[in-house]
Amino acid sequence: MKIDFKRIALSVSVVFVFISANAQMKQADIDKKVEALLRQMTLEEKVGQMTQIALDVICKGNDRYSSFTPLTLDAAEMKKAFGDYHVGSVLNTAGNRALTTAKWYELISEIQKTSSKQNVHKVPVIYGVDEVHGATYTAGATMFPQQIAQAAARNPLLVEKAAAITAYETRAGNIPWTFGPVLDLGMDPRFSRMWETFGEDPYITSTLGVAMVNGLEGKDANVGNPEKIATSLKHFLAYHTTVSGKDRTPSYISEDALREYHLPAFKAAIDAGAHTIMVNSGIINGVPVHASYPILTKLLKEELGFKGLVVTDWADIENLYRRDRIAANDKEAVMLAINAGIDMSMVPYKYEVFCDNLIQLVKEGKVKQERIDDAVRRILKVKYALNLFDKPNTNPKDYPKFGSKEFEKVSYDMAAEAITLLKNEGNILPLKKNIKVLVTGPNANSMRTLNGAWTYSWQGDAADEYTANYNTILEAVQNEIGKANVTYVPGVSYKAGGHYFEELADKMDEAIAAAKNSDVIILCLGENSYVEKPGDLNDLYLSDLQTELAKKLAGTGKPVVLVLNEGRPRLISRFEQDMKGIVQAYLPGNFGGNALADVLFGDVNPSGKLPYTYPRFPNATISYIHKPSEEQKKAEGAYNYEADYNPQYLFGEGLSYTTFVYSNLTIDKKQLKKRENLNVSVTVTNTGKRTGKEVVHLFTSDLYASSVTPDVKRLRRFEKIELAPGESKTVSFELNPADLSYTGRDGKTILEAGDFEVMVEKLKDTFTLIE
Ligand code: BGC
């Protein structure tokens, strides 16, 4: 049969035009309804829509900040919030614990019912939760590897699948809105939230950010679909660039850096249809971002054309007065933030202060009525898009696949593709299954450390209460080779009840003694879970006790395989040379233990690649994106050995149990005109004995640039492929002018004639860009 491709293409485009015409009609219909509603609403009702409170505020408890268990809604508090103050949004769990889907359904439908009774216009509440690696606060939900691990897997399709499952399971708990994905760049290994990011590269962050938005909102961004939820891209903009490396401290950043590195992922995700955005809680060039008209209105709303709703981060309006002192009182803080472009305040506790002040400010003419209307218009549009007016609730009974094996498999696959083999001296890995191992270290037997924070509770400290059905590393290793072949001694433990970073020696001598009777030591080191301010860190080296344990174990002469289970790359240079094998597990989630054991014992061939640069020393933490002066080479006359660029592991590193050889790097033009695209191809061959997956990274370098010193190199494309032994594949990439341009000092994009390099693995070629 002859296939008529032209006809197929035509009918596909007809369908596409039909869908987009349909979407436009739907939007026009929503716009009409929103305008009609706006005309009927009082100022007080509008301000209520701009107000978001924490669930604890309306639950029974001794105060607003915590709740009694089991959770019960407080009728008087609800009447005040939804009746007197017309509050339009609620967030978070209460009592800092995960709830079942049934409990979520009960709570949120009660909230919708009560608020609807109180609200003349029947405007539904929009409920939001941080569903950052699965439905965070829902017991039994599928927890995925955290974003940093998802980036190591370099598999956009898996990211999209995981996000689609997250949306489904979130709706199963009657929640329509998540505060994610995180599109901040994880460029600073000191920062307590690095693991929430897709790592240090803007291109990876853009690609995976879009994949995540597509999974959460749907490719058509139709969040009215009851299996989809609205996203909130966060934290706009350049949240992790602090000078101190600590959370919510000042950043100083140039216009070109802001646009060149931090903006692209947000822009791409906005273009993909993301409905809401959350603001950076920090301070850029002296100005808290929540008070920045240039960032929130000029850049985000006007230049990027963002039509969705802008929500603050936690308490960040009062922070303008109480923390950052850029306002002299709470009222001035409200004025600054709303005039800067904030649409909704995550108050989240003292909402009366926010509402009363904002109403007053409008009456005094200090905040214009049009600004309020603009904010409420954006909020109502999202509520309509989510179909909350017609269907305010989604019922767990309609989500039979919640927590299913099918979903768990995706989480396992992601972990298996993320785990990154960093060192394999003498091919110590994969381990044989007929050996005796010692499993040791503070991360060996903990579901909390496998998951990290935002897991059943904010800091992840409740994880072990909800995870009896999943395997720690120890349990997974026992399943792999039989309990009789595994000895477990912690050696070092995280102190129960202490600050997360407090550790104690826990049978260290016993661990050393047990090592002598084992063939191999699996040493599980890293970090306990943490996030935000509680995760601020003074010393990037891995703790003294863990270092001591590693050195003593290596001293036994038995081979040590180091498993890293950490949210940021803690320095291991004091003992790295003594380790035979090193595997980075990141925060791989509930199935990370199984995936890791499968990697260690060879059931899975590792294919993860570092999404960041692993530093060797505390004064050398620059990312792979850096300037030529940061890469002085000894051979080129650097002043001393410490002026060079010599991280522990490079961005993109990651070994396999097979070997890949790259050949035939080809570019289709040696001279490229400014409007032309460049086609690049390379052949990869699996020269080993096992099937394996490989990530092909394509970098470019602009050799000279006139406005801003060029970066040494930049990732422009990547693709993950799978090759059987002996198999070759040719991978093709197409670069466009945007890939060759950069942002100048004035913030404008520049495409400049000159010489460029293209690099894939160790292969290089050059071309010239001409007018
Ligand atoms: C965090 C945000 C989060 C919000 C709501 C804040 O403290 O910075 O990332 O979305 O809390 O939980």
Side-chain angles (χ1 to χ4, degrees):
M1 192 181 79
K2 203 173 144 209
I3 301 174
D4 187 346
F5 286 106
K6 264 197 194 151
R7 233 168 111 173
I8 293 175
L10 193 69
S11 49
V12 167
S13 60
V14 166
V15 171
F16 186 73
V17 168
F18 177 74
I19 290 173
S20 69
N22 214 1
Q24 271 174 23
M25 260 163 62
K26 226 167 129 189
Q27 191 55 48
D29 185 42
I30 289 180
D31 292 351
K32 238 167 74 193
K33 287 183 180 157
V34 168
E35 293 311 318
L37 191 50
L38 269 179
R39 279 195 293 275
Q40 295 166 32
M41 287 170 79
T42 63
L43 174 60
E44 288 72 13
E45 287 167 343
K46 289 177 182 171
V47 166
Q49 285 303 311
M50 296 169 70
T51 308
Q52 185 181 58
I53 58 174
L55 179 59
D56 276 314
V57 172
I58 48 168
C59 281
K60 286 194 184 141
N62 286 326
D63 53 34
R64 292 194 158 179
Y65 307 100
S66 56
S67 306
F68 296 143
T69 322
L71 288 183
T72 7
L73 290 163
D74 184 320
E77 289 293 350
M78 289 223 282
K79 178 168 181 314
K80 182 172 172 196
F82 302 123
D84 303 348
Y85 279 89
H86 320 283
V87 165
S89 183
V90 183
L91 89 150
N92 213 6
T93 183
N96 194 25
R97 279 295 184 278
L99 309 172
T100 59
T101 49
K103 185 71 186 175
W104 272 120
Y105 177 67
E106 173 202 315
L107 287 171
I108 297 178
S109 27
E110 186 59 31
I111 288 172
Q112 295 292 18
K113 200 165 103 195
T114 315
S115 82
S116 167
K117 256 195 225 150
Q118 310 275 346
N119 192 302
V120 200
H121 312 292
K122 308 271 170 260
V123 182
V125 161
I126 179 169
Y127 204 105
V129 175
D130 297 273
E131 311 285 50
V132 294
H133 70 125
T136 305
Y137 295 142
T138 305
T142 312
M143 293 299 161
F144 291 92
Q146 298 279 3
Q147 274 187 220
I148 198 71
Q150 300 201 19
R154 302 278 204 281
N155 186 335
L157 278 178
L158 263 186
V159 171
E160 191 180 324
K161 261 194 199 173
I165 293 169
T166 301
Y168 180 99
E169 295 196 342
T170 298
R171 284 282 200 167
N174 202 9
I175 298 163
W177 186 22
T178 177
F179 306 119
V182 173
L183 299 182
D184 307 319
L185 289 186
M187 280 180 149
D188 188 340
R190 300 169 302 168
F191 205 71
S192 64
R193 310 191 68 172
M194 191 201 204
W195 52 271
E196 288 182 76
T197 74
F198 287 124
E200 70 191 28
D201 182 67
Y203 177 72
I204 290 182
T205 306
S206 300
T207 310
L208 300 187
V210 167
M212 205 171 243
V213 170
N214 284 341
L216 292 165
E217 295 210 349
K219 274 206 166 118
D220 52 359
N222 172 16
V223 291
N225 176 343
E227 293 188 3
K228 296 294 167 195
I229 57 177
T231 55
S232 194
L233 315 174
K234 69 188 189 184
H235 305 81
F236 194 78
L237 181 65
Y239 176 33
H240 292 212
T241 55
T242 65
V243 176
S244 70
K246 295 194 177 172
D247 188 22
R248 294 164 158 94
T249 58
S251 299
Y252 295 91
I253 183 161
S254 63
E255 180 76 12
D256 57 277
L258 200 70
R259 286 168 175 275
E260 177 69 25
Y261 309 126
H262 302 279
L263 198 58
F266 285 97
K267 185 178 179 326
I270 289 170
D271 292 345
H275 277 81
T276 85
I277 205 162
M278 186 187 290
V279 177
N280 168 7
S281 191
I283 304 131
I284 297 183
N285 301 338
V287 181
V289 183
H290 284 77
S292 174
Y293 182 79
I295 292 183
L296 301 182
T297 297
K298 294 306 277 180
L299 177 59
L300 175 62
K301 291 184 173 176
E302 292 179 8
E303 189 183 321
L304 297 189
F306 180 64
K307 300 273 183 302
L309 98 84
V310 179
V311 63
T312 71
D313 201 341
W314 193 268
D316 273 322
I317 294 190
E318 63 176 59
N319 278 341
L320 295 178
Y321 160 49
R322 292 170 190 275
R323 185 191 69 193
D324 296 331
R325 305 191 194 178
I326 199 156
N329 50 49
D330 278 317
K331 187 170 167 190
E332 212 175 280
V334 173
M335 180 183 77
L336 283 179
I338 304 301
N339 285 343
I342 294 293
D343 302 318
M344 182 185 279
S345 171
M346 185 184 285
V347 181
Y349 297 114
K350 293 189 195 138
Y351 63 91
E352 305 89 331
V353 177
F354 170 74
C355 294
D356 294 346
N357 277 326
L358 185 51
I359 292 165
Q360 205 55 41
L361 285 161
V362 178
K363 289 186 173 156
E364 289 166 11
K366 291 183 177 148
V367 172
K368 295 218 168 67
Q369 182 64 49
E370 299 89 83
R371 180 69 271 277
I372 301 290
D373 287 344
D374 170 52
V376 179
R377 185 176 287 120
R378 289 165 181 269
I379 294 164
L380 293 177
K381 279 187 186 175
V382 176
K383 291 186 176 186
Y384 271 111
L386 283 164
N387 201 24
L388 294 176
F389 281 84
D390 289 340
K391 197 169 182 289
N393 299 298
T394 46
N395 191 323
K397 76 171 171 36
D398 298 325
Y399 297 83
K401 288 203 272 181
F402 176 88
S404 60
K405 291 276 168 251
E406 174 192 334
F407 287 0
E408 291 183 347
K409 165 96 172 43
V410 178
S411 177
Y412 168 86
D413 287 347
M414 182 82 86
E417 290 212 11
I419 290 168
T420 307
L421 178 61
L422 294 172
K423 182 175 180 183
N424 198 11
E425 214 175 278
N427 289 331
I428 175 90
L429 293 171
L431 299 171
K432 302 220 162 52
K433 295 197 183 180
N434 57 354
I435 57 167
K436 295 216 174 301
V437 301
L438 166 68
V439 176
T440 179
N443 293 53
N445 196 23
S446 159
M447 288 311 299
R448 171 180 176 176
T449 63
L450 285 179
N451 277 293
W454 300 120
T455 310
Y456 311 111
S457 65
W458 176 42
Q459 295 290 320
D461 49 332
D464 289 295
E465 288 169 34
Y466 296 85
T467 46
N469 293 340
Y470 313 111
N471 293 319
T472 63
I473 299 173
L474 170 66
E475 290 159 347
V477 170
Q478 286 172 334
N479 290 344
E480 193 80 36
I481 60 169
K483 269 196 179 163
N485 293 321
V486 182
T487 307
Y488 167 60
V489 187
V492 173
S493 287
Y494 297 113
K495 193 170 163 191
H499 180 273
Y500 321 143
F501 302 161
E502 278 182 72
E503 296 174 358
L504 35 91
D506 189 353
K507 303 186 186 145
M508 199 183 286
D509 292 340
E510 221 176 280
I512 311 308
K516 293 181 185 140
N517 304 322
S518 310
D519 299 313
V520 172
I521 302 162
I522 300 177
L523 172 61
C524 308
L525 302 183
E527 298 185 305
N528 208 350
S529 70
Y530 57 81
V531 69
E532 300 185 57
K533 289 307 283 180
D536 276 355
L537 187 69
N538 285 330
D539 184 359
L540 194 57
Y541 273 107
L542 201 60
S543 76
D544 290 348
L545 272 177
Q546 296 195 42
T547 305
E548 185 185 338
L549 179 64
K551 285 187 166 168
K552 284 187 171 159
L553 288 168
T556 64
K558 295 287 174 159
V560 185
V561 172
L562 172 65
V563 171
L564 292 165
N565 168 209
E566 55 186 3
R568 55 193 150 192
R570 299 292 294 270
L571 307 182
I572 53 170
S573 51
R574 288 178 172 151
F575 59 89
E576 193 263 0
Q577 66 285 356
D578 302 327
M579 305 289 105
K580 292 282 179 248
I582 301 184
V583 180
Q584 173 60 280
Y586 311 95
L587 305 176
N590 275 339
F591 303 92
N594 296 355
L596 178 77
D598 286 344
V599 166
L600 293 177
F601 291 92
D603 303 326
V604 166
N605 189 356
S607 62
K609 299 283 178 182
L610 274 186
Y612 51 65
T613 306
Y614 206 116
R616 194 183 291 271
F617 299 114
N619 280 10
T621 58
I622 52 168
S623 66
Y624 97 85
I625 298 182
H626 57 257
K627 304 298 181 190
S629 69
E630 295 177 279
E631 194 163 314
Q632 299 194 17
K633 299 199 173 65
K634 276 178 265 173
E636 288 164 12
Y639 292 112
N640 62 53
Y641 291 114
E642 300 194 4
D644 62 356
Y645 179 69
N646 183 25
Q648 191 81 62
Y649 304 108
L650 296 172
F651 167 82
E653 257 187 78
L655 303 165
S656 165
Y657 295 150
T658 187
T659 42
F660 298 104
V661 170
Y662 285 70
S663 60
N664 288 333
L665 176 67
T666 314
I667 57 176
D668 71 342
K669 298 175 195 78
K670 285 299 260 183
Q671 291 216 320
L672 184 73
K673 293 202 187 105
K674 279 190 173 173
R675 275 203 212 126
E676 288 178 333
N677 289 353
L678 183 74
N679 291 301
V680 183
S681 65
V682 69
T683 304
V684 189
T685 307
N686 181 347
T687 52
K689 295 196 177 71
R690 286 195 58 158
T691 295
K693 290 180 180 157
E694 169 71 340
V695 180
V696 183
H697 293 107
L698 167 69
F699 293 91
T700 63
S701 302
D702 184 356
L703 297 185
Y704 302 93
S706 66
S707 174
V708 174
T709 299
D711 293 320
V712 169
K713 63 176 183 178
R714 293 287 296 277
L715 182 71
R716 300 302 179 189
R717 297 286 182 277
F718 66 89
E719 192 176 323
K720 194 165 198 172
I721 54 170
E722 184 170 52
L723 293 173
E727 193 187 357
S728 292
K729 260 187 198 155
T730 296
V731 180
S732 303
F733 300 107
E734 188 171 36
L735 296 179
N736 56 48
D739 296 311
L740 305 175
S741 52
Y742 69 97
T743 313
R745 283 192 296 269
D746 58 359
K748 301 245 158 58
T749 304
I750 301 177
L751 182 64
E752 220 163 46
D755 292 339
F756 288 78
E757 264 178 7
V758 177
M759 290 150 291
V760 180
E761 214 241 1
K762 293 194 173 58
L763 306 173
K764 262 186 193 177
D765 205 345
T766 53
F767 68 93
T768 307
L769 188 67
I770 55 173
E771 290 304 327

